Amino acid sequence: MSGFLRTAGSVARRLRTAAVAAGLAAVGVAGLPATPASAATWTQSVTGPMYLTSGAWPDHDLCASASDDTVRLRQFDASDPYCQWIRIGDRGRFALFNPAKQKVAGYVGGNEGAITMQSLNYPTSYLQLFAWGGAEDWGAYALQSFEDNGQNIDAKDPGSDTPRTDGVHTRGWRHGYQRELTWNELPVAAPGLDRSVAALQAYQTYLNGTLGNGAPDETACVTESTPVRSAADNLFVSAELARGGDAYAGLRARSGGVGPWEQYNLCRNNRNGLYAIRSAANGRFVSAELAFGGTDYAELRARADVLGPWEQYTVEPVGGGTYAVKSAANGKYVSAELAYGGDSYGELRARADGIGPWEQFR
């Protein structure tokens, strides 16, 4: 939301070093397009749940304490929910939200200041924002305070060369060994509808619960590209970008593997809870073509630059990790037309009144 990403104040705080800029370019950071549905609506980037593993001790990760508001280094335990984070924002400016703790991480300020779990402020102060630095030779990145990018989250015990056991603090980059100041994002699970839905719902439920009526009108999009597969034929959904005319970017459940055409970003609007689907291959939102007739009625195509009624859906859990997708514009569920032949096999259309095998995706 804009509170997380708003930049104001001194130019010095907004500047990044050449090393940081080069590092961000190296990992292929790309900004998400603004959503022009209204002047009050914007697009926010959100990651799926992830661990933050130490560059010095990869078997340790950053965790919120269950008993107090400290942030600690723990032996890696994939089952510990307090060690799972959602990054809200891009790599140059973001908040770290811990769903188990229902708080965000924050820097208290000053040299070697503590990192603590805090309730979200709105608009969000720089003390609750962080940034990734450039890639280091050992393959990890400095995790910097956005308030003061000279202060980095430190995994090292100040009195020894071992992992810190009390609450973590920051340390300046030039003061001593640097590997302990670096971290990596490790996804909790492979990209999929389950992971994307969970991240969007966790973030927006927290946002609404914390800010109430003051929560912003925003559409959050999961940054990781997610393949979508039909549960009926077990084939991945492709956006057919090589086709022309009215067939351009039509969605079909027809691929046995995942390439660029089989990747999507799931989005969700904070106010109405409706979802949008964006093709990662062409950056366009998926429309249900309600003006098409006959057997192409409500065909899904990745062709819209803006979000309107035809680009909004509900996503309903069916069970076993599968979901049904319903067009908000006509109230019909999306079907994979497995009885169609040739180039129309597996065409996705919002045309079903109920959920059967053809209306389930994962």
PDB file of all heavy atoms in Angstrom, residues 142-170:
ATOM      1  N   ALA A 142      22.964  -7.784   1.746  1.00  0.00           N
ATOM      2  CA  ALA A 142      22.818  -7.006   2.968  1.00  0.00           C
ATOM      3  C   ALA A 142      21.348  -6.643   3.151  1.00  0.00           C
ATOM      4  O   ALA A 142      20.670  -6.232   2.202  1.00  0.00           O
ATOM      5  CB  ALA A 142      23.669  -5.737   2.884  1.00  0.00           C
ATOM      6  N   LEU A 143      20.861  -6.797   4.390  1.00  0.00           N
ATOM      7  CA  LEU A 143      19.489  -6.429   4.724  1.00  0.00           C
ATOM      8  C   LEU A 143      19.551  -5.137   5.523  1.00  0.00           C
ATOM      9  O   LEU A 143      19.899  -5.128   6.697  1.00  0.00           O
ATOM     10  CB  LEU A 143      18.825  -7.557   5.522  1.00  0.00           C
ATOM     11  CG  LEU A 143      17.350  -7.387   5.882  1.00  0.00           C
ATOM     12  CD1 LEU A 143      16.513  -6.998   4.664  1.00  0.00           C
ATOM     13  CD2 LEU A 143      16.801  -8.659   6.511  1.00  0.00           C
ATOM     14  N   GLN A 144      19.216  -4.032   4.858  1.00  0.00           N
ATOM     15  CA  GLN A 144      19.454  -2.698   5.383  1.00  0.00           C
ATOM     16  C   GLN A 144      18.191  -2.053   5.947  1.00  0.00           C
ATOM     17  O   GLN A 144      17.089  -2.313   5.468  1.00  0.00           O
ATOM     18  CB  GLN A 144      19.969  -1.787   4.253  1.00  0.00           C
ATOM     19  CG  GLN A 144      21.151  -2.319   3.493  1.00  0.00           C
ATOM     20  CD  GLN A 144      21.400  -1.535   2.213  1.00  0.00           C
ATOM     21  OE1 GLN A 144      20.492  -0.932   1.644  1.00  0.00           O
ATOM     22  NE2 GLN A 144      22.642  -1.537   1.751  1.00  0.00           N
ATOM     23  N   SER A 145      18.373  -1.197   6.931  1.00  0.00           N
ATOM     24  CA  SER A 145      17.291  -0.315   7.342  1.00  0.00           C
ATOM     25  C   SER A 145      17.090   0.740   6.263  1.00  0.00           C
ATOM     26  O   SER A 145      18.050   1.319   5.752  1.00  0.00           O
ATOM     27  CB  SER A 145      17.644   0.368   8.666  1.00  0.00           C
ATOM     28  OG  SER A 145      16.800   1.491   8.882  1.00  0.00           O
ATOM     29  N   PHE A 146      15.848   1.006   5.886  1.00  0.00           N
ATOM     30  CA  PHE A 146      15.578   2.064   4.915  1.00  0.00           C
ATOM     31  C   PHE A 146      15.811   3.438   5.540  1.00  0.00           C
ATOM     32  O   PHE A 146      16.148   4.395   4.848  1.00  0.00           O
ATOM     33  CB  PHE A 146      14.144   1.949   4.399  1.00  0.00           C
ATOM     34  CG  PHE A 146      13.847   2.847   3.236  1.00  0.00           C
ATOM     35  CD1 PHE A 146      14.320   2.548   1.973  1.00  0.00           C
ATOM     36  CD2 PHE A 146      13.101   4.000   3.405  1.00  0.00           C
ATOM     37  CE1 PHE A 146      14.054   3.372   0.896  1.00  0.00           C
ATOM     38  CE2 PHE A 146      12.831   4.830   2.333  1.00  0.00           C
ATOM     39  CZ  PHE A 146      13.307   4.515   1.074  1.00  0.00           C
ATOM     40  N   GLU A 147      15.627   3.548   6.856  1.00  0.00           N
ATOM     41  CA  GLU A 147      15.892   4.804   7.558  1.00  0.00           C
ATOM     42  C   GLU A 147      17.361   5.174   7.473  1.00  0.00           C
ATOM     43  O   GLU A 147      17.710   6.339   7.274  1.00  0.00           O
ATOM     44  CB  GLU A 147      15.481   4.662   9.033  1.00  0.00           C
ATOM     45  CG  GLU A 147      15.917   5.794   9.957  1.00  0.00           C
ATOM     46  CD  GLU A 147      15.119   7.058   9.762  1.00  0.00           C
ATOM     47  OE1 GLU A 147      14.073   7.003   9.088  1.00  0.00           O
ATOM     48  OE2 GLU A 147      15.533   8.110  10.287  1.00  0.00           O
ATOM     49  N   ASP A 148      18.231   4.171   7.586  1.00  0.00           N
ATOM     50  CA  ASP A 148      19.676   4.394   7.552  1.00  0.00           C
ATOM     51  C   ASP A 148      20.309   3.180   6.891  1.00  0.00           C
ATOM     52  O   ASP A 148      20.529   2.157   7.531  1.00  0.00           O
ATOM     53  CB  ASP A 148      20.212   4.582   8.974  1.00  0.00           C
ATOM     54  CG  ASP A 148      21.715   4.839   9.005  1.00  0.00           C
ATOM     55  OD1 ASP A 148      22.353   4.804   7.932  1.00  0.00           O
ATOM     56  OD2 ASP A 148      22.243   5.067  10.106  1.00  0.00           O
ATOM     57  N   ASN A 149      20.606   3.306   5.571  1.00  0.00           N
ATOM     58  CA  ASN A 149      21.104   2.124   4.872  1.00  0.00           C
ATOM     59  C   ASN A 149      22.533   1.764   5.242  1.00  0.00           C
ATOM     60  O   ASN A 149      23.086   0.801   4.725  1.00  0.00           O
ATOM     61  CB  ASN A 149      20.954   2.263   3.351  1.00  0.00           C
ATOM     62  CG  ASN A 149      21.762   3.413   2.769  1.00  0.00           C
ATOM     63  OD1 ASN A 149      22.658   3.950   3.408  1.00  0.00           O
ATOM     64  ND2 ASN A 149      21.422   3.794   1.541  1.00  0.00           N
ATOM     65  N   GLY A 150      23.135   2.510   6.175  1.00  0.00           N
ATOM     66  CA  GLY A 150      24.419   2.110   6.730  1.00  0.00           C
ATOM     67  C   GLY A 150      24.277   1.101   7.845  1.00  0.00           C
ATOM     68  O   GLY A 150      25.266   0.510   8.286  1.00  0.00           O
ATOM     69  N   GLN A 151      23.043   0.891   8.307  1.00  0.00           N
ATOM     70  CA  GLN A 151      22.775  -0.068   9.377  1.00  0.00           C
ATOM     71  C   GLN A 151      22.135  -1.316   8.789  1.00  0.00           C
ATOM     72  O   GLN A 151      21.116  -1.246   8.097  1.00  0.00           O
ATOM     73  CB  GLN A 151      21.854   0.553  10.434  1.00  0.00           C
ATOM     74  CG  GLN A 151      22.491   1.688  11.221  1.00  0.00           C
ATOM     75  CD  GLN A 151      23.607   1.202  12.138  1.00  0.00           C
ATOM     76  OE1 GLN A 151      23.467   0.188  12.822  1.00  0.00           O
ATOM     77  NE2 GLN A 151      24.717   1.926  12.154  1.00  0.00           N
ATOM     78  N   ASN A 152      22.736  -2.478   9.054  1.00  0.00           N
ATOM     79  CA  ASN A 152      22.305  -3.752   8.491  1.00  0.00           C
ATOM     80  C   ASN A 152      21.960  -4.730   9.608  1.00  0.00           C
ATOM     81  O   ASN A 152      22.604  -4.742  10.657  1.00  0.00           O
ATOM     82  CB  ASN A 152      23.422  -4.350   7.638  1.00  0.00           C
ATOM     83  CG  ASN A 152      23.938  -3.388   6.592  1.00  0.00           C
ATOM     84  OD1 ASN A 152      23.451  -3.368   5.471  1.00  0.00           O
ATOM     85  ND2 ASN A 152      24.929  -2.578   6.941  1.00  0.00           N
ATOM     86  N   ILE A 153      20.954  -5.573   9.380  1.00  0.00           N
ATOM     87  CA  ILE A 153      20.576  -6.563  10.390  1.00  0.00           C
ATOM     88  C   ILE A 153      21.719  -7.563  10.554  1.00  0.00           C
ATOM     89  O   ILE A 153      22.198  -8.154   9.595  1.00  0.00           O
ATOM     90  CB  ILE A 153      19.280  -7.271   9.995  1.00  0.00           C
ATOM     91  CG1 ILE A 153      18.133  -6.255   9.949  1.00  0.00           C
ATOM     92  CG2 ILE A 153      18.963  -8.392  10.982  1.00  0.00           C
ATOM     93  CD1 ILE A 153      16.787  -6.861   9.607  1.00  0.00           C
ATOM     94  N   ASP A 154      22.164  -7.741  11.804  1.00  0.00           N
ATOM     95  CA  ASP A 154      23.385  -8.475  12.126  1.00  0.00           C
ATOM     96  C   ASP A 154      23.044  -9.800  12.803  1.00  0.00           C
ATOM     97  O   ASP A 154      22.327  -9.825  13.810  1.00  0.00           O
ATOM     98  CB  ASP A 154      24.241  -7.611  13.055  1.00  0.00           C
ATOM     99  CG  ASP A 154      25.598  -8.211  13.347  1.00  0.00           C
ATOM    100  OD1 ASP A 154      25.973  -9.191  12.679  1.00  0.00           O
ATOM    101  OD2 ASP A 154      26.286  -7.689  14.251  1.00  0.00           O
ATOM    102  N   ALA A 155      23.571 -10.905  12.260  1.00  0.00           N
ATOM    103  CA  ALA A 155      23.329 -12.225  12.848  1.00  0.00           C
ATOM    104  C   ALA A 155      24.373 -12.632  13.868  1.00  0.00           C
ATOM    105  O   ALA A 155      24.223 -13.643  14.551  1.00  0.00           O
ATOM    106  CB  ALA A 155      23.282 -13.282  11.733  1.00  0.00           C
ATOM    107  N   LYS A 156      25.450 -11.863  14.016  1.00  0.00           N
ATOM    108  CA  LYS A 156      26.589 -12.278  14.827  1.00  0.00           C
ATOM    109  C   LYS A 156      26.451 -11.843  16.278  1.00  0.00           C
ATOM    110  O   LYS A 156      25.995 -10.749  16.589  1.00  0.00           O
ATOM    111  CB  LYS A 156      27.872 -11.666  14.238  1.00  0.00           C
ATOM    112  CG  LYS A 156      29.155 -11.963  14.993  1.00  0.00           C
ATOM    113  CD  LYS A 156      30.322 -11.296  14.296  1.00  0.00           C
ATOM    114  CE  LYS A 156      31.603 -11.404  15.106  1.00  0.00           C
ATOM    115  NZ  LYS A 156      31.499 -10.731  16.408  1.00  0.00           N
ATOM    116  N   ASP A 157      26.848 -12.737  17.185  1.00  0.00           N
ATOM    117  CA  ASP A 157      26.957 -12.373  18.592  1.00  0.00           C
ATOM    118  C   ASP A 157      28.044 -11.310  18.732  1.00  0.00           C
ATOM    119  O   ASP A 157      29.147 -11.489  18.200  1.00  0.00           O
ATOM    120  CB  ASP A 157      27.309 -13.605  19.423  1.00  0.00           C
ATOM    121  CG  ASP A 157      27.258 -13.330  20.911  1.00  0.00           C
ATOM    122  OD1 ASP A 157      28.102 -12.547  21.392  1.00  0.00           O
ATOM    123  OD2 ASP A 157      26.398 -13.903  21.586  1.00  0.00           O
ATOM    124  N   PRO A 158      27.777 -10.195  19.412  1.00  0.00           N
ATOM    125  CA  PRO A 158      28.778  -9.124  19.491  1.00  0.00           C
ATOM    126  C   PRO A 158      30.040  -9.514  20.243  1.00  0.00           C
ATOM    127  O   PRO A 158      31.093  -8.895  20.061  1.00  0.00           O
ATOM    128  CB  PRO A 158      28.031  -7.992  20.206  1.00  0.00           C
ATOM    129  CG  PRO A 158      26.927  -8.660  20.948  1.00  0.00           C
ATOM    130  CD  PRO A 158      26.530  -9.830  20.114  1.00  0.00           C
ATOM    131  N   GLY A 159      29.982 -10.571  21.069  1.00  0.00           N
ATOM    132  CA  GLY A 159      31.148 -10.954  21.853  1.00  0.00           C
ATOM    133  C   GLY A 159      31.884 -12.172  21.346  1.00  0.00           C
ATOM    134  O   GLY A 159      32.844 -12.622  21.973  1.00  0.00           O
ATOM    135  N   SER A 160      31.431 -12.755  20.206  1.00  0.00           N
ATOM    136  CA  SER A 160      32.076 -13.963  19.696  1.00  0.00           C
ATOM    137  C   SER A 160      31.787 -14.081  18.205  1.00  0.00           C
ATOM    138  O   SER A 160      31.088 -13.249  17.629  1.00  0.00           O
ATOM    139  CB  SER A 160      31.547 -15.199  20.431  1.00  0.00           C
ATOM    140  OG  SER A 160      30.189 -15.423  20.103  1.00  0.00           O
ATOM    141  N   ASP A 161      32.334 -15.124  17.598  1.00  0.00           N
ATOM    142  CA  ASP A 161      32.084 -15.391  16.186  1.00  0.00           C
ATOM    143  C   ASP A 161      31.033 -16.472  16.013  1.00  0.00           C
ATOM    144  O   ASP A 161      31.154 -17.362  15.169  1.00  0.00           O
ATOM    145  CB  ASP A 161      33.385 -15.802  15.484  1.00  0.00           C
ATOM    146  CG  ASP A 161      34.356 -14.646  15.360  1.00  0.00           C
ATOM    147  OD1 ASP A 161      33.881 -13.494  15.220  1.00  0.00           O
ATOM    148  OD2 ASP A 161      35.570 -14.886  15.413  1.00  0.00           O
ATOM    149  N   THR A 162      29.988 -16.401  16.803  1.00  0.00           N
ATOM    150  CA  THR A 162      28.906 -17.387  16.770  1.00  0.00           C
ATOM    151  C   THR A 162      27.580 -16.671  16.507  1.00  0.00           C
ATOM    152  O   THR A 162      27.475 -15.455  16.654  1.00  0.00           O
ATOM    153  CB  THR A 162      28.827 -18.135  18.108  1.00  0.00           C
ATOM    154  OG1 THR A 162      28.588 -17.185  19.160  1.00  0.00           O
ATOM    155  CG2 THR A 162      30.132 -18.885  18.386  1.00  0.00           C
ATOM    156  N   PRO A 163      26.557 -17.425  16.121  1.00  0.00           N
ATOM    157  CA  PRO A 163      25.254 -16.806  15.888  1.00  0.00           C
ATOM    158  C   PRO A 163      24.704 -16.158  17.156  1.00  0.00           C
ATOM    159  O   PRO A 163      24.866 -16.682  18.263  1.00  0.00           O
ATOM    160  CB  PRO A 163      24.363 -17.977  15.448  1.00  0.00           C
ATOM    161  CG  PRO A 163      25.310 -18.997  14.927  1.00  0.00           C
ATOM    162  CD  PRO A 163      26.547 -18.858  15.749  1.00  0.00           C
ATOM    163  N   ARG A 164      24.065 -15.035  16.974  1.00  0.00           N
ATOM    164  CA  ARG A 164      23.513 -14.302  18.109  1.00  0.00           C
ATOM    165  C   ARG A 164      22.346 -15.088  18.717  1.00  0.00           C
ATOM    166  O   ARG A 164      21.518 -15.663  17.998  1.00  0.00           O
ATOM    167  CB  ARG A 164      23.027 -12.934  17.643  1.00  0.00           C
ATOM    168  CG  ARG A 164      22.629 -12.017  18.776  1.00  0.00           C
ATOM    169  CD  ARG A 164      22.653 -10.565  18.341  1.00  0.00           C
ATOM    170  NE  ARG A 164      22.615  -9.682  19.510  1.00  0.00           N
ATOM    171  CZ  ARG A 164      23.082  -8.456  19.531  1.00  0.00           C
ATOM    172  NH1 ARG A 164      23.660  -7.946  18.450  1.00  0.00           N
ATOM    173  NH2 ARG A 164      23.008  -7.718  20.616  1.00  0.00           N
ATOM    174  N   THR A 165      22.257 -15.095  20.050  1.00  0.00           N
ATOM    175  CA  THR A 165      21.188 -15.829  20.722  1.00  0.00           C
ATOM    176  C   THR A 165      20.150 -14.904  21.353  1.00  0.00           C
ATOM    177  O   THR A 165      19.053 -15.354  21.692  1.00  0.00           O
ATOM    178  CB  THR A 165      21.764 -16.738  21.823  1.00  0.00           C
ATOM    179  OG1 THR A 165      22.532 -15.952  22.740  1.00  0.00           O
ATOM    180  CG2 THR A 165      22.638 -17.824  21.201  1.00  0.00           C
ATOM    181  N   ASP A 166      20.494 -13.615  21.538  1.00  0.00           N
ATOM    182  CA  ASP A 166      19.499 -12.670  22.055  1.00  0.00           C
ATOM    183  C   ASP A 166      18.904 -11.910  20.868  1.00  0.00           C
ATOM    184  O   ASP A 166      19.117 -12.251  19.715  1.00  0.00           O
ATOM    185  CB  ASP A 166      20.126 -11.732  23.079  1.00  0.00           C
ATOM    186  CG  ASP A 166      21.264 -10.899  22.485  1.00  0.00           C
ATOM    187  OD1 ASP A 166      21.715 -11.214  21.357  1.00  0.00           O
ATOM    188  OD2 ASP A 166      21.691  -9.933  23.138  1.00  0.00           O
ATOM    189  N   GLY A 167      18.123 -10.867  21.150  1.00  0.00           N
ATOM    190  CA  GLY A 167      17.487 -10.108  20.094  1.00  0.00           C
ATOM    191  C   GLY A 167      18.500  -9.486  19.145  1.00  0.00           C
ATOM    192  O   GLY A 167      19.526  -8.955  19.574  1.00  0.00           O
ATOM    193  N   VAL A 168      18.228  -9.562  17.836  1.00  0.00           N
ATOM    194  CA  VAL A 168      19.180  -9.037  16.858  1.00  0.00           C
ATOM    195  C   VAL A 168      19.158  -7.507  16.855  1.00  0.00           C
ATOM    196  O   VAL A 168      18.155  -6.872  17.176  1.00  0.00           O
ATOM    197  CB  VAL A 168      18.903  -9.572  15.437  1.00  0.00           C
ATOM    198  CG1 VAL A 168      19.026 -11.075  15.394  1.00  0.00           C
ATOM    199  CG2 VAL A 168      17.544  -9.114  14.927  1.00  0.00           C
ATOM    200  N   HIS A 169      20.321  -6.940  16.478  1.00  0.00           N
ATOM    201  CA  HIS A 169      20.492  -5.504  16.322  1.00  0.00           C
ATOM    202  C   HIS A 169      21.055  -5.256  14.915  1.00  0.00           C
ATOM    203  O   HIS A 169      21.241  -6.176  14.127  1.00  0.00           O
ATOM    204  CB  HIS A 169      21.450  -4.961  17.390  1.00  0.00           C
ATOM    205  CG  HIS A 169      20.847  -4.881  18.754  1.00  0.00           C
ATOM    206  ND1 HIS A 169      20.341  -5.987  19.412  1.00  0.00           N
ATOM    207  CD2 HIS A 169      20.668  -3.825  19.598  1.00  0.00           C
ATOM    208  CE1 HIS A 169      19.877  -5.618  20.603  1.00  0.00           C
ATOM    209  NE2 HIS A 169      20.057  -4.317  20.731  1.00  0.00           N
ATOM    210  N   THR A 170      21.330  -4.018  14.644  1.00  0.00           N
ATOM    211  CA  THR A 170      21.973  -3.663  13.382  1.00  0.00           C
ATOM    212  C   THR A 170      23.465  -3.445  13.609  1.00  0.00           C
ATOM    213  O   THR A 170      23.938  -3.336  14.741  1.00  0.00           O
ATOM    214  CB  THR A 170      21.369  -2.384  12.793  1.00  0.00           C
ATOM    215  OG1 THR A 170      21.621  -1.284  13.676  1.00  0.00           O
ATOM    216  CG2 THR A 170      19.869  -2.535  12.573  1.00  0.00           C
TER     217      THR A 170
END
